[in-house]
Each structure stands twice: as C-alpha cells, then as structure tokens.
Amino acid sequence: MSLKIIRPGLLTSIQDAGRYGYQKIGVLISGAMDTYSMRLANMLVGNDENEGTLEITLLGPTIEFTADTLIAVTGGNFNPIIDGMPVPYMRPVAVKTGAIMKFGSCHTGCRAYLAVAGGFDVNPVMGSKSTYLRANFGGFKGRSLQKNDLLNTGTPHSFGRQMLSSLLSRGAQSFAEAKWYIGKTHLSGKILRKPIRVTAGIHYKYFDQQSKYNFFSSEYTVTNNADRMGYRLKGDLLRTENPLEIISEAVGLGTIQVPPQGLPIILMADHQSVAGYPIIAQAIAVDVARIAQMKPNDHIHFKLISNEEGEQLFIEMEKFMENIKIAINAKLQN
C-alpha cells in the first residue's frame, strides 16, 4: 500500500515521538511538535502511539491513496475533503483505493497529524522515523515531502485490519468513518486560548521585578520567525537586573530564553541541546503541544505555576491518554 503526494503543502514531513539518547553527541530529539495529537492519531488506527505520522503545517497537502487505507486525522483543523465531502477528525476513517484527499489552509491551530494503519515504511535512523530537516536525515529521504513522492505503508495490526474491513463493508464510494470519536482534547474549545503554564526558569531570580511583572501580565505575539526550532515572540522587553555571564547550559523542549534584545524565544522540537541566554521560564510539558498549534500573529499569555503543579498536570494528561487508549480498544470488541 502507498500514498502518492499530488501536492506537498507548505511543510509536510514524517514525525514520531522523537530520537532520544543522542543529544550528548549533538543529535537532536526532533519528533512531532504536538506529541499529543500525534499519539491520538496513532491510537485511532491501532498503531503504537509513537509510530511515525505525517505532520502537516499551515497549508496541507493533496494525497492520492493507491490502496484501501485506514487513517485518522487529529490536531489543527485544515478542513480536509475527499470527493468534495469533509473528512471528520478524531476518528478512524477507511479510505478506498483511488480516493484523493485534499487539505486546505489551517482554520484552527497550526499543525495536523495524519496516521495510517501500519505506519509509514521508512527506515528508522537512531531508533526514530522523525525527519530532522536541518540535517537532512530521518523520515522520507531526510526532507519534507515533495510532489510525486510515494510513501509505502507498513502492515496494520489486527485493530487496523478489522476496523478497515468493518468500515468498508458499508459500501461507501470513497471513504467511511466510524460513528464514534474522541471528544474533548487539549485543543478543544477555549483550551487553545488559555494561558501557557510555566515554571520558573533557572535564571528567573536574576530578572528585574518589572520584567517578571511584564512577562506574566502582558500579551506576547508569535512572530513570523517561528519554526520547528523555536518561536520568537514580540511584546514587552525582559531584562536581568545585572548583565549575566552565562556558560552554555542544557535546554529542553519548552525552555523560554531571553537573548540580549530582551524578547523571549520558546524552544521547540528541533531546539539545540545547549544555549547561553538567560532562561526565564520553562513551559510545562502538557502545554508545549498547545504552543505548537500557535501560528504567526497568535497571542500568548503566561501563567506561573509550581513544579509540583506541572508534574500533577502531566500525570493527569497521561492518565487521560491511557483512558482513551482503553476506550478505543474496547470499541473494537463491542
């Protein structure tokens, strides 16, 4: 089975949970920007939740299915259609051979995730199928997708095979969707617009009181300089009380650093492993996925919480994801 790329969209690449264990030699983790949407898409088609998916950014692709395929689309809403009919999100969808799926521009959010039952048949690099675009390795030929690319899919697990057979037995012309779906997620309703929760960064105490006040009381805007490496923001300037001489230190996903000009940068999936700018805050893991769904000119607010609160929110989200997995598996048995 394979997918043929008719039009690639603005930036479409294969991404999974990331490439762990190699930062000490300068190889970044990479992986999906919104890992929760990526995991949900995989769950819906019976894959391991860390399997590779298509990450679709800002403007989506047009894809021809060369075989019957079970898919799921999650994340930002790009209004995908097949034969003029809208393709529903957050549920398994069986697509018939020859169908052409078109994604538009993003309506809400910034990134969508397309999973196929069996995953994409590409060779893992250092244990991951993720594409590291700057270094040109991983994923499909180490790059974003291009016109006429053919993506082979792997062998679906039993869930995917049974769901595909069940849905296609309805006799739909181009596709058939499950009647059940995942409801509320981290992107539902007003959740996407809530403040981004952060913990104090390792240099937080060195920032002056006005900067601390500005950071949490004012609005910042995502600039056009926002990509998989990081988001530069514009808004009130942030300053340390005294100039800091900082030795480069380890940074992580969601680290918020402040370069000399005073405007913060949020580090994202393709962030460097070390940095030498003062770190004012660290976005909690649960909210990094919401940051990944923000696009240029979107507004962002920050809220300070404790490390303990951040850990509890992470535990609650993981319990939520586990409950979804249990519920999906139960659907096939009913």
Side-chain angles (χ1 to χ4, degrees), residues 115-130:
V116 298
F120 293 102
D121 186 15
V122 295
N123 292 324
V125 176
M126 297 180 180
S128 171
K129 295 181 181 180
S130 283

Side-chain angles (χ1 to χ4, degrees), residues 12 44 56 60 64 72 86 136 193 198 202 205 239 269 282 323:
T12 305
L44 286 166
I56 298 164
E64 179 183 355
N136 300 118
R193 296 187 292 275
V198 302
I202 57 176
K205 62 183 178 181
R239 304 291 187 195
Q282 174 69 43
N323 287 336

Side-chain angles (χ1 to χ4, degrees), residues 140-215:
F140 184 82
K141 300 182 179 180
R143 58 169 171 76
S144 60
L145 300 185
Q146 298 176 8
K147 182 178 180 180
N148 293 327
D149 282 345
L150 288 174
L151 299 178
N152 292 322
T153 60
T155 302
H157 297 297
S158 59
F159 178 101
R161 293 195 303 270
Q162 293 178 51
M163 185 60 68
L164 178 64
S165 176
S166 174
L167 292 176
L168 290 182
S169 67
R170 299 178 185 177
Q173 285 190 334
S174 299
F175 71 93
E177 73 272 15
K179 295 180 181 179
W180 55 269
Y181 59 94
I182 298 174
K184 184 178 180 181
T185 73
H186 62 296
L187 303 179
S188 301
K190 297 180 181 179
I191 295 176
L192 188 60
R193 296 187 292 275
K194 287 186 176 181
I196 297 299
R197 293 160 292 189
V198 302
T199 57
I202 57 176
H203 304 119
Y204 177 76
K205 62 183 178 181
Y206 298 114
F207 285 84
D208 61 41
Q209 291 301 317
Q210 185 62 49
S211 293
K212 293 175 183 177
Y213 176 81
N214 290 344
F215 187 69

